Amino acid sequence: MSIEHVLPRNPKPASRWEQDFTPEEREHWTHRLGNLLLLNRKKNSQARNYDFARKKSGYFTTATGSAVFALTTQVLTYDEWTPATVEARHQELTGLLIKEWELT
């Protein structure tokens, strides 16, 4: 198992990532919880810097169209991966952790 950055750490120039995220947004969101999911190591190394649609269809699902890990399954419901998407997912996940760990 490994951690996948949906928004890649080093997107290719002129990629969809460069269009959807400013440099500041990429710096802010790349390593945050809302941008991360679990993949097996083989799929993670194959996913690379591909755009979201390709990652989602080719690497985040199994042959049956489902995901192996719950955090990955959540991502399959999104049609796009934008700063607003990452922020919403980040807020949802951190809220769940705060509630579960009784941090408030």
Side-chain angles (χ1 to χ4, degrees):
M1 173 169 49
S2 65
I3 303 290
E4 161 68 7
H5 293 76
V6 180
L7 165 63
R9 290 174 281 192
N10 299 302
K12 292 181 181 181
S15 68
R16 181 69 189 242
W17 300 117
E18 295 271 332
Q19 296 170 26
D20 290 345
F21 290 81
T22 66
E24 294 79 17
E25 289 169 332
R26 285 194 309 275
E27 183 177 334
H28 181 77
W29 289 114
T30 299
H31 299 289
R32 296 200 177 239
L33 184 60
N35 187 52
L36 306 176
L37 54 81
L38 299 174
L39 284 181
N40 69 46
R41 289 186 191 275
K42 182 179 178 185
K43 282 198 172 194
N44 193 355
S45 67
Q46 294 171 342
R48 302 186 185 188
N49 294 346
Y50 294 133
D51 289 337
F52 179 66
R54 184 169 180 185
K55 283 185 172 189
K56 181 178 165 181
S57 66
Y59 304 101
F60 297 171
T61 60
T62 64
T64 62
S66 62
V68 177
F69 303 106
L71 287 175
T72 307
T73 301
Q74 294 171 338
V75 172
L76 297 177
T77 64
Y78 295 107
D79 294 325
E80 61 183 4
W81 202 255
T82 64
T85 306
V86 179
E87 181 175 9
R89 184 168 185 263
H90 182 82
Q91 293 298 326
E92 178 183 358
L93 292 174
T94 55
L96 288 170
L97 292 173
I98 289 167
K99 180 179 177 185
E100 182 65 28
W101 293 338
E102 301 176 355
L103 298 175
T104 56

